[in-house]
Amino acid sequence: MPLPLGHIAIGLAAYEMSTDRSAFSRWKLFMAIAVLANLPDIDVVFGLLLQWNGSAFHRGPTHSLLFAGAAGFLASEVAKRWDRLPRMGFWSCFTLILSHVIADGLFSASAVSFFWPLETYWSSGHSDLRDVVGMVLRGDRQDAWIALAACSVVIAHRAARGMGLRRKGTG
Ligand SMILES: [Zn+2]
C-alpha cells in the first residue's frame, strides 16, 4: 500500500493534471495537497485515539467515494472562507482525496470501502503508535516507484502543455 510519501507524489501529479497549475508554486498549496492526499488515513488517528489500534477503523468510510465528495466540499468551503489557505475549488479537493482512495485500491492487496455505505472493508491487523509513526516517516520501494512515475507524468504533462501553448502562440 502506498505510504504518505507515495500519496503526496500521486496527489501532486493529480493536482497538476486536473488544474494545469504548478503544485510547487507556493508552499501553502504544496502543504494543502499533502494533507488532502492523505486525508482518508485520518481513520488511523481515530483508531489510535479510541482503541490504541491504528488499524481498528482503517479503510472504512473515509476510503470511499462519498467521503471524497463530502470532505472535498467541506475543504473547498473552508478554503473559500479562510483567506490564509490557498484557493482550491471543489474538484481539486475531491480529486486529491479520491486519488488516495484509488491508489490504496490499486496498489495494495486489501480492498477499500469505495462504495460505502453499500460496502465496508475494514483493514485487518494491529498497528500501535510506533508502527504508525514509522509508516509516516519512511517510504518504501513501492513509494519510490510511485514518486518516479508521478514525476514522469508531471514532466510529460508540462511538456505537452508547453507544446500546446506554443502551437497556440504561433497559430
Ligand atoms: Zn489510506
Side-chain angles (χ1 to χ4, degrees):
M1 105 193 137
L3 297 169
L5 292 176
H7 282 302
I8 291 173
I10 292 168
L12 292 170
Y15 182 81
E16 292 228 359
M17 299 288 289
S18 64
T19 63
D20 275 356
R21 275 165 61 191
S22 169
F24 300 93
S25 56
R26 289 162 54 203
W27 72 268
K28 277 186 185 175
L29 178 63
F30 179 88
M31 291 305 291
I33 291 169
V35 168
L36 289 173
N38 281 288
L39 192 64
D41 282 347
I42 192 117
D43 56 6
V44 174
V45 178
F46 293 140
L48 281 174
L49 288 175
L50 297 173
Q51 299 201 358
W52 205 237
N53 173 12
S55 301
F57 311 115
H58 193 36
R59 297 203 159 200
T62 60
H63 286 67
S64 68
L65 190 61
L66 189 64
F67 178 82
F73 175 74
L74 271 179
S76 63
E77 287 299 307
V78 170
K80 232 188 268 173
R81 284 170 175 71
W82 197 9
D83 55 7
R84 287 178 167 219
L85 292 176
R87 285 261 172 271
M88 288 176 97
F90 168 75
W91 285 109
S92 295
C93 298
F94 173 72
T95 303
L96 284 167
I97 300 168
L98 194 66
S99 78
H100 179 111
V101 180
I102 291 173
D104 272 357
L106 286 179
F107 298 120
S108 57
S110 50
V112 291
S113 307
F114 195 78
F115 292 111
W116 180 84
L118 300 176
E119 61 176 19
T120 311
Y121 300 100
W122 301 108
S123 95
S124 54
H126 188 280
S127 51
D128 60 20
L129 184 61
R130 202 158 48 145
D131 300 326
V132 172
V133 170
M135 273 189 264
V136 169
L137 294 181
R138 81 183 148 86
D140 62 8
R141 195 184 297 185
Q142 188 189 46
D143 273 24
W145 282 112
I146 289 173
L148 201 65
C151 246
S152 313
V153 166
V154 168
I155 291 168
H157 182 67
R158 285 185 179 187
R161 208 175 58 194
M163 285 192 313
L165 287 178
R166 228 169 289 143
R167 210 174 301 135
K168 232 183 271 170
T170 52

